[in-house]
Each structure stands twice: as C-alpha cells, then as structure tokens.
Amino acid sequence: MSELNDINLNKKIKEEMADYWSSRAEMFNELKIQELNSDMRGRWLKELQTYLPAKKGLKILDIGTGTGFFCFLLGAEGHDLTGIDLTEKMILEARKSSAILGIPAEFYVMDAEMPDFPDNSFDAIVTRNVAWTLPDLKKAYEKWHSLLKEDGVLINFDGDYSRENEQQKLPENHAHSKITQEQWSAYEHLKTELRPISNPRPAWDVQLLKSAGFKEIRLDEQVGDRIYSEINQFYNPTPIFTIAARK
C-alpha cells in the first residue's frame, strides 16, 4: 500500500509542477532570453566550462531545460544539445526561441526521472534548479548515470529550495515581482510536499550519486556568490551549489 501511495504522490507532484510552470512559461522565456543577452551568459558559461571536457561537438543532454537557456548557451559553443522538460509549454517556447536565435537543438517533453534515450548516449548531462523538484531523486541519478558515456560528466546546479524561507525579499525590478499570489501559493505548496520526502542537500546528493555509481564527485557551494554577485532582476537569494560527477 505504501508503494502505491508513493506512486500516487509522485504523479500528483509532477502534475502540479507542470501546471505551475505552464502558467509561467511565456514570462519565464522572456527572462531567459534577457539572461542570455546579459553578463550572466558569460558567468554561466565559465562555470560549465570548469567541468566540461575542453573540446567541441560534445553530445549534451539538458534535463529540465525549461525554455532552453543551457541549450542555447552551449549550442552556440559548438556542442550538440538535446533539451527535455516535463512541461509542454516550456518546450514549445524553447522551440520558438531556437528558431529565432538560429541555434539548433532538439527539444522533447519528457520526465526528468526517466529520460527516454538509450544508455551511454551523452558526453555530458547539465541541469539547473531541477533536481529539487523530483520526488524520486535516487531513481533520477541512477537513470542519468546510465545515460552517460564512460567518463561522461553530470553537472548539476541546484539549491535546497524546499527548505528555503517563504517569499524572500527581492528588488522591485526582479523577474519574480510579476508572479501572482496564486503562483506563489502553488510554489509554496509544492515545497511542503517535497520537503518530507527529501533530505538536506547537497549532502544527500553526494550520497545518492555515490550509490548510483558516480565517481570524482566535486561540490562547490560558493557558485552563487560568483553568479549572483549583484542584486538585479536575475538575482537568486537562495544559496545554490554545483555538484559535478563522472561516470
């Protein structure tokens, strides 16, 4: 009975998550295009290049791509990008932006916990602010490990969002200032559902990655200080971390 309850909760959270992000897709895409055309582009690229092999033409999977920010960032550097997201409206926005920007990438609606690709398909997996949303992170890390080629790298930027303070104070020009009270309430509700089924992070991530078979696990909890060095429309008040690991 417990297993059935877990399955039902997993499904419920994912449906609510897709509804939440569907309501934000167009606004979110506008923000990501602004971010791509700002100093943030270089900051994110520098962090990614810290872990990516120093060669062109890498086959990279962006899990929880949203509207394609990492796909466009890395696609412009000569890599072969595939982006997946649970939310159809996000993928539709990503495809539109791909055509407008002239940066090719493949985009699919898929569950981050079980991407539908053959094993050993990718040189790298990148993901940003996604792992915290997954009801079964253990399952996700095991699947991601299988999708990487030998010596492939996982680069995960995330925060312990389900344990952050509610509606932290942000500048007036911040992108989140346009979020409705209904959207805030939906977000806070998701946090209350995810908190009891997760452990404090990133310590938990280290354990799960080791269990999934990853090696050379590198943790950086100062990345937020470099990315969000000033309080602007892109600022994230929640401490974030990078955790990177090899297959």
Side-chain angles (χ1 to χ4, degrees), residues 35-45 69 72-73 76:
E35 191 172 7
L36 199 62
N37 292 319
S38 75
D39 292 344
M40 302 294 282
R41 178 188 189 123
R43 295 178 197 177
W44 280 112
L45 186 59
F69 179 82
F72 304 136
L73 183 67

Side-chain angles (χ1 to χ4, degrees), residues 78-138:
H79 300 300
D80 179 5
L81 269 295
T82 300
I84 66 168
D85 201 279
L86 184 66
T87 306
E88 184 177 7
K89 284 189 176 181
M90 288 287 191
I91 291 298
L92 292 174
E93 291 293 327
R95 289 172 179 162
K96 290 178 190 175
S97 293
S98 177
I100 292 169
L101 295 169
I103 303 175
E106 295 291 328
F107 293 104
Y108 302 100
V109 178
M110 279 189 200
D111 187 333
E113 289 182 3
M114 42 188 174
D116 188 16
F117 300 103
D119 290 352
N120 308 303
S121 289
F122 298 97
D123 298 299
I125 291 174
V126 297
T127 183
R128 173 184 174 188
N129 295 338
V130 173
W132 81 274
T133 72
L134 305 180
D136 194 340
L137 186 54
K138 178 178 184 294

Side-chain angles (χ1 to χ4, degrees), residues 158-161 168 221 236-241:
D158 207 4
D160 201 358
Y161 290 101
Q168 300 179 57
E221 296 186 79
N236 183 357
T238 301
I240 66 169
F241 58 84

Side-chain angles (χ1 to χ4, degrees), residues 170-228:
L170 295 168
E172 289 184 7
N173 68 331
H174 196 274
H176 287 181
S177 64
K178 297 180 181 179
I179 293 178
T180 67
Q181 188 56 52
E182 183 179 1
Q183 289 169 329
W184 273 120
S185 296
Y187 175 64
E188 294 299 334
H189 176 67
L190 283 164
K191 286 160 58 176
T192 63
E193 290 184 305
L194 287 159
R195 193 177 305 122
I197 58 175
S198 67
N199 291 323
R201 306 176 63 218
W204 189 40
D205 298 74
V206 174
Q207 295 173 0
L208 293 178
L209 288 169
K210 287 179 179 178
S211 176
F214 282 95
K215 59 188 180 183
E216 298 178 30
I217 299 168
R218 299 166 65 184
L219 178 63
D220 179 357
E221 296 186 79
Q222 280 71 55
V223 60
D225 295 335
R226 297 190 297 274
I227 294 288
Y228 304 110

